[in-house]
Amino acid sequence: MRPLKIIVLAKQVPDTRHVGPDAMKPDGTVNRGKLSTVFNPDDLHALELALNIKDRIPGTHVTILTMGPQKAADIIREGYYRGVDNGIMISDRRFGGADTLATSYTLVQGIKKLAPYDLIVGGRQAIDGDTAQVGPQCADKLKIPQVTYVEEILEINEDEIIARRRLSKGVETVSAPFPCLMTVHGSSPDCRSRKAKNVMQYKYARTKTEMRKGDPVLEELHKKRPYLVIPEWSVEDIEADVKKIGLAGSPTKVKSVESIILTANEAKLLSESDADIEMMIKELIEHHTIG
C-alpha cells in the first residue's frame, strides 16, 4: 500500500464549561480572550484516526491545519507531541468573527495550498458551535466525496478507504475513493497521549509572530533547527478573497449567549409510574420543549 498524505483539521475552542457573562463581544462574536481554551474534543478523535492510519501504512505523512488567533498555535504543538509530521497555522486578524461558511472557505484555501492530498479528517463538530457544518462544507467546496460520523477505518487499499459510521440507530459500512474527507464521531478511539520524546523535540516550536517578543535563545535555536518554526499563513498567503472571510464573509450572526445553571430547586424527582411519566410529558408540551 502506498503512503498517504493526510490533513487533519483541528480547532482550539473555548472551554464551554466556564462560560461567563463576558463571553460575547458587543458585535455578537465570541470574546476568545476572556475564555480558557481546549483542543476541540472531536478533533482529537480525528487526530487519532489519522495517526492510526500512519501506524498502519509506513511512510504516511500527517499535517495538522488550524485556523485561529495566535494562542491557537498550541494546537500545532499538541499535534507534534502526539505524532504529526507537520503543522500549519492560519492566522490573521481579518479571519476573526468567521461563521462556518467563512471558516470552511478559509480552510479550503489552506488545503488547496497543501495539495495534493489523499484524505482530510476533522471532528464531527466543534463544541463552540455544534453545527457539524465545516467538514461537509469543505468537502463540497473541494468537490470531493465525504463520509461523516466515522467511527473506525476498516480497510484501506490503493483506490479507496472503507469506514464504519456510527448512526443514531445503528452502524453503516461505506467506502469512498481517494481523495475524500471524513468527519469523526466521538465514539471513535480516544487520542493517544503525548510522547515524552516528541515533547522534548518540539516544546520550543513557535510561529514567527510568537517569536517577535525577541527571545535570543529561541531565535538561535530556530536557526539551528528550522523544523521548530511553525508556518503561519495570512490572507495573502492562502490567496483568500477578503469578502469571503471573517465577519464580511459570515451571514450568520449570534445575538446572545446565555449560561444556564440548573439548581436543586429546579429539579424534580419522578418515579417510573405511568402517572408521573404522563405528567412530565404534559409539562414538556405546555412549555413547548417537545411537541
Side-chain angles (χ1 to χ4, degrees), residues 201-217:
Q201 182 177 358
Y202 291 104
K203 64 181 180 180
Y204 295 117
R206 299 287 189 276
T207 64
K208 288 184 178 180
T209 302
E210 289 178 306
M211 290 296 294
R212 286 175 188 165
K213 297 177 181 179
D215 187 326
V217 176

Side-chain angles (χ1 to χ4, degrees), residues 18-187:
H18 304 98
V19 176
D22 55 355
M24 301 297 296
K25 296 178 183 179
D27 63 1
T29 60
V30 177
N31 190 358
R32 296 183 185 275
K34 294 290 185 179
L35 299 170
S36 58
T37 55
V38 295
F39 200 122
N40 184 54
D42 278 2
D43 293 342
L44 277 172
H45 289 278
L47 177 57
E48 175 57 31
L49 183 141
L51 293 175
N52 179 265
I53 294 175
K54 181 182 175 182
D55 291 341
R56 292 160 62 173
I57 304 175
T60 290
H61 187 278
V62 178
T63 296
I64 186 168
L65 177 66
T66 190
M67 166 191 158
Q70 273 307 303
K71 62 180 180 179
D74 289 339
I75 293 294
I76 304 295
R77 286 184 281 272
E78 278 297 329
Y80 282 143
Y81 299 159
R82 296 169 194 260
V84 305
D85 302 286
N86 189 29
I88 305 292
M89 174 85 174
I90 299 179
S91 186
D92 192 310
R93 288 184 178 276
R94 289 170 287 180
F95 293 132
D99 66 0
T100 60
L101 189 67
T103 297
S104 61
Y105 169 76
T106 303
L107 290 173
V108 163
Q109 290 301 107
I111 291 168
K112 288 179 178 178
K113 190 169 180 177
L114 289 170
Y117 51 83
D118 297 292
L119 178 64
I120 302 168
V121 295
R124 177 176 63 98
Q125 62 187 41
I127 60 173
D128 61 346
D130 287 339
T131 63
Q133 293 174 351
V134 171
Q137 285 177 354
C138 285
D140 182 68
K141 289 178 171 68
L142 292 166
K143 301 188 185 308
I144 60 174
Q146 61 176 288
V147 182
T148 56
Y149 300 93
V150 171
E151 186 175 59
E152 183 183 359
I153 301 301
L154 301 177
E155 185 181 338
I156 307 171
N157 58 49
E158 293 289 337
D159 302 315
E160 65 178 8
I161 184 168
I162 301 173
R164 182 175 70 225
R165 303 176 68 215
R166 171 59 57 178
L167 305 177
S168 59
K169 295 183 180 180
V171 296
E172 181 180 57
T173 299
V174 297
S175 65
F178 292 119
C180 64
L181 181 147
M182 293 184 167
T183 63
V184 183
H185 197 276
S187 61

